[in-house]
Coordinates of all heavy atoms in Angstrom, one line a residue:
V37 N -42.2 3.7 17.0 CA -43.3 2.7 17.0 C -44.5 3.3 16.2 O -44.7 4.5 16.2 CB -43.7 2.2 18.3 CG1 -42.6 1.5 19.1 CG2 -44.3 3.3 19.2
A56 N -82.4 16.0 24.4 CA -82.6 17.2 25.2 C -84.1 17.2 25.7 O -85.0 17.8 25.0 CB -82.4 18.4 24.3
A59 N -86.6 20.7 30.2 CA -85.8 21.1 31.3 C -86.6 21.1 32.6 O -86.1 20.9 33.7 CB -85.2 22.4 31.1
Y147 N -103.5 32.1 19.3 CA -103.4 33.5 18.8 C -102.1 33.7 18.0 O -101.1 33.5 18.6 CB -103.6 34.5 20.0 CG -103.4 36.0 19.5 CD1 -104.5 36.6 18.9 CD2 -102.3 36.7 19.8 CE1 -104.4 37.9 18.5 CE2 -102.1 38.0 19.4 CZ -103.2 38.6 18.8 OH -103.1 40.0 18.4
Y151 N -96.9 40.1 13.3 CA -95.5 40.2 13.5 C -94.9 41.5 12.9 O -93.8 41.9 13.1 CB -94.8 39.0 13.0 CG -95.1 37.7 13.7 CD1 -96.0 36.8 13.1 CD2 -94.6 37.5 15.0 CE1 -96.3 35.6 13.8 CE2 -95.0 36.3 15.6 CZ -95.8 35.4 15.0 OH -96.1 34.2 15.7
H238 N -75.9 29.7 10.0 CA -76.6 29.1 11.1 C -76.8 27.7 10.9 O -76.8 27.2 9.7 CB -77.9 29.8 11.4 CG -77.8 31.3 11.7 ND1 -76.7 31.8 12.4 CD2 -78.6 32.3 11.4 CE1 -76.9 33.1 12.5 NE2 -78.0 33.5 11.9
S294 N -97.0 7.9 16.4 CA -96.8 7.6 17.8 C -95.4 7.1 18.0 O -94.7 6.7 17.1 CB -97.8 6.6 18.3 OG -97.5 5.3 17.7
F405 N -64.1 16.3 10.8 CA -65.4 15.9 10.2 C -65.5 14.4 10.2 O -64.5 13.6 10.1 CB -65.6 16.4 8.8 CG -65.4 17.9 8.7 CD1 -64.5 18.4 7.8 CD2 -66.1 18.8 9.5 CE1 -64.3 19.8 7.6 CE2 -65.9 20.2 9.4 CZ -65.0 20.7 8.5

Side-chain angles (χ1 to χ4, degrees):
V37 298
Y147 175 77
Y151 298 104
H238 302 325
S294 68
F405 306 126

